[in-house]
Amino acid sequence: MSGRFVRSSKYRHVFGRPTRKEQCYDGLRISRNAWDTNLKANPKYISVNWEASGGGAFAVIPINEKGRLPEQLPLFRGHTAVVLDTDWSPFNDSLIASGSDDGKANIYKVPEDFSLRTEEGEEPQDVAPVQKLAGHSRKIGHVLFNPAAENVLATSSGDYTLKIWDIEAGSPRLTLKHTDIVQSLSWSANGSLLVTTSRDKKLRIWDVRQEKPAHVVPGHQGAKASRVTWMGEHDRVATTGFSKMSDRQLGLWDVRDPKEPIGGFDMLDAISGVCMPFWDDGTQCLYLAGKGDGNIRYFEYQNDKFEYLSEYKSADPQRGVAFLPKRGINVHENEVMRAFKTVNDSYIEPVSFLVPRRAEVFQDDIFPPTVGIKPAMSAAEWFGGKENLPPKIDLASVYAGDEPAEVASEYKPTARAPSPKSPSPTKKAPEPAPEPAPAASALKGPPPSMNQQTASIKELASKFTDDKEDSDSEEETSSFEEIAKPIDRSDKHATPSVPTQSADSMSTSRGLGDTLSPVADKPDDFAKASQIAASQDTQTQIEKQQAAASKSTIEPLSNPLTSPTISKSTEQPLVKGSEQPLHKSTQEQLAKGGQEPIQSSLAEIKSLLEMQNQTMSKQSQEISKLTAEVDRLRSKLGE
C-alpha cells in the first residue's frame, strides 16, 4: 500500500438508504411522457405527471401521506395535452408551474389543508390553474423558477425559444432564441445567468437580461440528449452527455472561459440511459441518476474536479428522479440529501443519503446554512437589473425545532471550500502542547513497525525452542558426574613394571571408589571388563601374583584397600594405559616370599576381588539405568 493515501472528506462514507414499500407512495399511474423528469418535490408536496385521459394532468401528493393511495385522486387539470414538466416555487411551497404539450404554461396554487384522502361519499375535487401563460407556438418541455427573484419563470419550447415570464404580469418579458430544441437549462445562484444545452450539441451561457449568450461552445458530441446543472454559487457548471461512441460522459466547465471542459470529459460508463445531474450546494456534492438505471452515484467537488464518493445501487430502475430542497431534510438523522424516484410507473420511493455518525447534538460541519423561503428581490427588481443572493437559514434552528433563523446572504460555500485545510493547523496546534510532559507522550508512542513486531514474535518463539533445548541438555549432563583430569601417580623411585596384559585389558581395570561417566567410558568396554573379571578363577589370580612377585615385576592392582593412602589415591579415575605401583608394604611382603603366611595374602586378595565384583555389578546396574535415561532423552528430542 505504499504510495497510496485516503483523501480526507466528511462525506466519504455517505450511503443511500432505501425505504420500505409500506413507507413509499404506492398506487400511482405515472405518465411516461417527460422531457427531463416526471416528478418534482419540495418539503411539503410531491408533484408527479399523471397518466390521464381527456387532457393532461398531474397529481400533488402531500409528503406525509405515505402508503397505498386511493384509486381516485384530486388532480391538477387545465391542460389540453400531456403534461411534460412541473416545478415548485422556491419561495412558496404551495405554488407550482406546469408545462404541457399544448404549448401552455399554467400556474397552480395548492389549496390549504390539501389531502388525497377524502371522507366517505365525497368525490375528489380537481384543482384548476390560477393563471395561464400563453406565448409558445409548440410544446413546452421545461419550466424552471428563478432561484433568487420571486415570480420569475423560465420556459423552453419546441419552437427553439426560451422565454422568461413575469408571473405577476402574466406575460413574457425576455426571449432567448436557440437554433434547436433546448434539452436542459439551469439558473445561476443569483438568477442573473442561465446555462442551456440543446440538440445542436452546443453549450450556451446566457446573460438573460441582455437576451444574448455570453458564450457558445461545443458540448457533448453524442447523438443523445445532454443535461446541465449550475453548481450553486460557484462559477462552474456540470454537464452530462454522450460521446460519439455513445459512452456517458461528465464534464466540468468554467463559465468565464468555457472553451473546453476542465480536464476534459470523464467517461462514466456505456449505458444508454440519459444521466440527470443534481447539485447540492451545502455538501458540494453532485448526484447523477440515469433514466432506466437503478443506481445513483455521487461525487464531491474539490480542487476543481469531481472526486467519486460512492454509489447507491438498486435493482429497481427509475424513470424520473427529484431531490428535496436542503431545508426539508431530516437533520436529526444526519440526512444530507433525499431523493424521490419513480419505480415501475406505479410508486415513488424515497432514498435518504446519510452521513454515518452517532451524535446527540447538531452537526454544523455537515449542515451549513442553506437557502430559505425568502427571495432576494421581487420580479420587478430583477427585471430592473438587480442582482443578489437570497438569504440563508441556519439549520441549527431547524434542529432545535424553532423558527428558521436567517444568516447573512453574503455567505458562500466557496468560503468554506478551504475547510479541509483548516483541520491541519488545528491538528498541528495541539502537538507542541505535550512537549512539557514528555512522559505522557512516551506512554503513547508510535505504533510498532513491522520489523519490530517480527523481531518480538521471533523472540517469543525462541523462548520456547531455545529453553527446551537448554533444559534437555541440562537434563542430559545433570545425570552424570564430571570426570576430572587424570592425575599422574607414577613414582619416580619405583621400579618400572612390565605389563603382562594387553592395553585393552589394562584399560578396563577400575578402582572401587571410581565413578563412571558414559561421556569418557563406553558401557560396552566396562561390560567386557566385568565379564573377564568374573570368568577368571581366584586361584589363577593368586598364581599370577606369585609369579609376578618372584620376578620382582609387580602388576598394579586395580584398587587395593590396605591403607588410607591407597584408597585416597584410587579415588581419582584411571585412564586407558595408565599403570599404578603397589603399596610399599605389599611389595615387601611379596618379596619375602615365605616370611609370612601365604594364606593371609590370598585371603586379602580374595576379599579384594569380591569387593571389586560387587562394585562392578552395582556400576553395571547404574550404567543400564543411565543408558535407559539417555534413550528416553533422545526420544524426547526426536532423534
Side-chain angles (χ1 to χ4, degrees):
M1 297 294 290
S2 60
R4 299 183 64 185
F5 62 93
V6 178
R7 185 181 60 88
S8 175
S9 173
K10 299 186 291 290
Y11 309 104
R12 188 160 54 91
H13 300 290
V14 171
F15 67 97
R17 184 183 65 186
T19 305
R20 294 178 299 175
K21 186 67 177 292
E22 55 269 19
Q23 295 297 321
C24 296
Y25 306 91
D26 198 3
L28 306 179
R29 296 192 298 272
I30 302 174
S31 173
R32 296 176 176 84
N33 297 319
W35 273 23
D36 197 1
T37 182
N38 49 17
L39 78 163
K40 294 290 180 68
N42 70 10
K44 290 185 178 180
Y45 305 104
I46 302 173
S47 65
V48 56
N49 299 351
W50 200 259
E51 187 71 27
S53 59
F58 65 93
V60 172
I61 305 171
I63 204 165
N64 295 325
E65 297 187 9
K66 301 177 181 180
R68 188 164 188 85
L69 301 179
E71 294 184 1
Q72 292 185 352
L73 301 178
L75 298 178
F76 286 66
R77 297 182 180 272
H79 290 285
T80 59
V82 178
V83 175
L84 299 179
D85 193 22
T86 58
D87 190 46
W88 292 98
S89 170
F91 310 112
N92 187 349
D93 290 339
S94 299
L95 191 67
I96 185 172
S98 64
S100 172
D101 203 356
D102 59 4
K104 303 292 190 297
N106 292 347
I107 306 298
Y108 298 85
K109 189 171 183 180
V110 181
E112 295 183 2
D113 301 329
F114 179 76
S115 177
L116 298 179
R117 294 177 171 86
T118 59
E119 297 181 0
E120 294 183 3
E122 291 186 3
E123 292 291 333
Q125 298 294 327
D126 293 338
V127 180
V130 295
Q131 192 174 9
K132 292 185 177 182
L133 305 177
H136 290 288
S137 59
R138 294 192 178 181
K139 58 184 177 182
I140 295 176
H142 296 93
V143 290
L144 188 64
F145 277 97
N146 189 296
E150 188 177 17
N151 296 328
V152 176
L153 180 68
T155 60
S156 67
S157 172
D159 57 6
Y160 305 162
T161 62
L162 191 151
K163 294 183 180 295
I164 310 298
W165 300 80
D166 183 356
I167 297 179
E168 296 176 355
S171 61
R173 299 283 299 271
L174 303 171
T175 301
L176 310 180
K177 296 181 180 180
H178 293 71
T179 60
D180 211 327
I181 295 177
V182 176
Q183 295 176 336
S184 179
L185 69 156
S186 180
W187 289 97
S188 63
N190 59 4
S192 61
L193 299 177
L194 188 71
V195 59
T196 61
T197 61
S198 61
R199 199 166 56 182
D200 60 1
K201 304 176 185 178
K202 300 291 185 182
L203 177 70
R204 292 176 174 85
I205 299 172
W206 296 83
D207 186 353
V208 181
R209 284 164 292 198
Q210 299 297 325
E211 297 184 85
K212 61 181 181 179
H215 301 281
V216 180
V217 295
H220 299 271
Q221 297 303 306
K224 297 183 180 180
S226 61
R227 298 289 186 266
V228 64
T229 182
W230 202 291
M231 296 170 55
E233 299 178 14
H234 294 289
D235 51 2
R236 300 286 188 272
V237 295
T239 60
T240 59
F242 293 83
S243 66
K244 292 182 178 179
M245 302 300 295
S246 296
D247 295 326
R248 290 203 295 195
Q249 295 176 330
L250 172 65
L252 175 64
W253 305 77
D254 185 354
V255 297
R256 296 167 298 184
D257 186 18
K259 293 182 181 179
E260 58 183 12
I262 300 173
F265 290 112
D266 295 330
M267 191 185 75
L268 299 175
D269 48 44
I271 302 177
S272 59
V274 176
C275 200
M276 298 174 287
F278 300 91
W279 171 254
D280 177 22
D281 206 33
T283 60
Q284 303 291 294
C285 292
L286 179 71
Y287 295 81
L288 302 182
K291 286 187 177 182
D293 300 350
N295 59 347
I296 300 176
R297 67 190 74 183
Y298 35 99
F299 303 78
E300 183 177 9
Y301 175 69
Q302 194 175 55
N303 300 325
D304 220 15
K305 63 179 180 179
F306 291 116
E307 299 287 352
Y308 176 76
L309 291 177
S310 186
E311 183 178 9
Y312 166 75
K313 295 183 179 181
S314 173
D316 300 323
Q318 64 257 3
R319 184 184 296 273
V321 175
F323 276 79
L324 193 69
K326 200 62 176 285
R327 55 189 173 89
I329 60 176
N330 189 349
V331 293
H332 292 273
E333 294 185 359
N334 293 333
E335 182 185 42
V336 292
M337 283 293 281
R338 188 189 306 171
F340 298 90
K341 54 181 287 187
T342 59
V343 180
N344 298 328
D345 296 328
S346 61
Y347 71 94
I348 299 174
E349 177 187 5
V351 179
S352 297
F353 293 91
L354 309 174
V355 175
R357 287 187 181 181
R358 291 185 178 179
E360 301 297 333
V361 296
F362 176 70
Q363 304 294 302
D364 56 352
D365 60 328
I366 61 175
F367 294 115
T370 187
V371 177
I373 58 174
K374 185 177 180 180
M377 66 202 85
S378 64
E381 291 174 338
W382 184 84
F383 283 109
K386 184 178 180 180
E387 293 184 8
N388 198 2
L389 290 171
K392 295 180 173 62
I393 59 173
D394 188 3
L395 292 178
S397 58
V398 179
Y399 181 90
D402 302 331
E403 289 294 328
E406 290 188 4
V407 296
S409 60
E410 288 78 10
Y411 172 85
K412 296 182 180 181
T414 53
R416 294 178 60 91
S419 59
K421 299 180 182 179
S422 59
S424 56
T426 56
K427 290 182 179 178
K428 292 182 180 178
E431 289 181 356
E435 290 182 1
S441 61
L443 290 177
K444 274 191 172 183
S449 64
M450 184 62 69
N451 294 333
Q452 294 175 349
Q453 293 179 358
T454 305
S456 62
I457 293 174
K458 289 182 178 179
E459 184 179 356
L460 292 175
S462 63
K463 289 183 181 179
F464 296 97
T465 56
D466 295 344
D467 291 350
K468 185 176 181 181
E469 294 176 0
D470 295 342
S471 62
D472 293 342
S473 61
E474 289 175 3
E475 290 178 1
E476 286 183 7
T477 56
S478 62
S479 301
F480 307 100
E481 297 181 2
E482 295 183 358
I483 299 177
K485 187 177 181 180
I487 301 175
D488 187 8
R489 298 184 181 83
S490 60
D491 192 0
K492 296 180 181 180
H493 304 285
T495 305
S497 61
V498 180
T500 58
Q501 297 179 358
S502 63
D504 295 336
S505 62
M506 290 297 294
S507 63
T508 58
S509 62
R510 295 290 186 269
L512 295 175
D514 292 344
T515 57
L516 299 180
S517 173
V519 177
D521 301 316
K522 297 180 180 180
D524 298 338
D525 296 339
F526 193 90
K528 183 178 179 181
S530 61
Q531 293 176 1
I532 295 174
S535 63
Q536 292 179 348
D537 186 56
T538 305
Q539 186 65 27
T540 306
Q541 296 290 336
I542 295 173
E543 290 175 358
K544 289 182 178 180
Q545 293 293 338
Q546 290 178 354
S550 62
K551 295 181 180 179
S552 299
T553 304
I554 303 172
E555 182 178 346
L557 295 176
S558 51
N559 195 9
L561 297 176
T562 56
S563 63
T565 306
I566 296 174
S567 63
K568 184 178 181 181
S569 64
T570 58
E571 288 179 0
Q572 300 296 331
L574 298 176
V575 295
K576 187 176 182 180
S578 65
E579 297 179 355
Q580 180 178 357
L582 292 174
H583 195 268
K584 186 177 181 180
S585 60
T586 307
Q587 295 177 1
E588 291 177 354
Q589 291 177 2
L590 294 175
K592 288 180 182 180
Q595 294 179 0
E596 292 182 358
I598 299 176
Q599 297 298 331
S600 61
S601 297
L602 293 175
E604 181 180 359
I605 293 172
K606 185 177 181 181
S607 62
L608 289 175
L609 291 174
E610 291 177 354
M611 294 178 63
Q612 187 175 6
N613 291 335
Q614 294 176 2
T615 304
M616 292 171 64
S617 62
K618 292 180 180 180
Q619 289 178 347
S620 298
Q621 295 176 359
E622 185 178 358
I623 288 173
S624 57
K625 292 180 180 179
L626 295 176
T627 303
E629 185 176 359
V630 170
D631 294 338
R632 181 181 61 82
L633 294 175
R634 285 179 178 176
S635 62
K636 186 177 180 180
L637 291 174
E639 296 181 355

